[in-house]
Amino acid sequence: VGYLVAEEGLARDLAQVKQLTDLHTSTISQYLVEGWLSTGDVRGHLQRCRATYRERVDLAFRILQGDGTLRPYMEPSGGFYLFCGLPEPLTAAKLRAHSVQRSVIFASGDAFTVDGSLGNYLRLCVSSTDLPTIRVGLERMLRLVEELAATAS
């Protein structure tokens, strides 16, 4: 998110360059700026955002730890995502083939490596999802992983 004062032609050219480089400003960034602009309370807004994200990632971690089907790579100290290992011999590609039917979406871990070596990991995003939806989504994902693991062994 940025702010620019420029002559009209330059502003238009810069807007086109921005669109070519990142398509759009992230929704999270836009919400942060909107919250700051509407309240003027930057510190308070950031504290509320951090508390919200912490609550979401902590809930997801507790659910995963309590179940044991997906193995979180590490306990997060905050953040938007959880990386989780799949039980062998499952891969993210095999899981993806079935997850859409359960209305569950994730990123394959191999998308975050230069060599594609983390195909047995998932990146789960919980930053833009409310707590009840996190619970439902993880329950669906865990049941699917259990079912696929049972048929793979």
Side-chain angles (χ1 to χ4, degrees):
V1 175
Y3 182 80
L4 173 72
V5 176
E7 64 178 62
E8 186 177 336
L10 178 60
R12 187 173 34 255
D13 291 345
L14 291 173
Q16 288 177 346
V17 169
K18 182 188 183 312
Q19 289 173 352
L20 290 171
T21 58
D22 73 357
L23 297 179
H24 68 87
T25 302
S26 78
T27 303
I28 291 171
S29 298
Q30 292 179 57
Y31 278 132
L32 287 169
V33 171
E34 187 276 333
W36 173 69
L37 292 174
S38 66
T39 66
D41 180 16
V42 177
R43 285 198 173 111
H45 183 71
L46 290 175
Q47 287 174 344
R48 288 186 296 279
C49 288
R50 287 184 189 117
T52 297
Y53 297 139
R54 154 97 34 223
E55 185 178 29
R56 291 172 181 174
V57 79
D58 284 354
L59 172 65
F61 183 75
R62 283 193 314 272
I63 290 170
L64 294 171
Q65 283 291 97
D67 184 272
T69 303
L70 292 174
R71 302 173 321 275
Y73 177 73
M74 60 183 281
E75 183 171 354
S77 59
F80 297 168
Y81 311 103
L82 289 166
F83 275 86
C84 300
L86 289 164
E88 291 186 13
L90 289 183
T91 64
K94 177 160 177 104
L95 185 62
R96 177 169 285 119
H98 300 275
S99 68
V100 175
Q101 299 162 355
R102 307 271 177 113
S103 299
V104 178
I105 300 171
F106 61 88
S108 176
D110 59 5
F112 303 95
T113 66
V114 292
D115 62 0
S117 61
L118 293 178
N120 60 333
Y121 276 81
L122 311 177
R123 186 184 82 164
L124 303 173
C125 177
V126 296
S127 64
S128 59
T129 308
D130 62 29
L131 299 178
T133 305
I134 290 169
R135 281 187 191 93
V136 169
L138 287 176
E139 287 170 8
R140 289 177 185 171
M141 176 67 79
L142 291 168
R143 296 308 70 83
L144 176 59
V145 170
E146 288 172 355
E147 290 169 18
L148 292 174
T151 61
S153 39

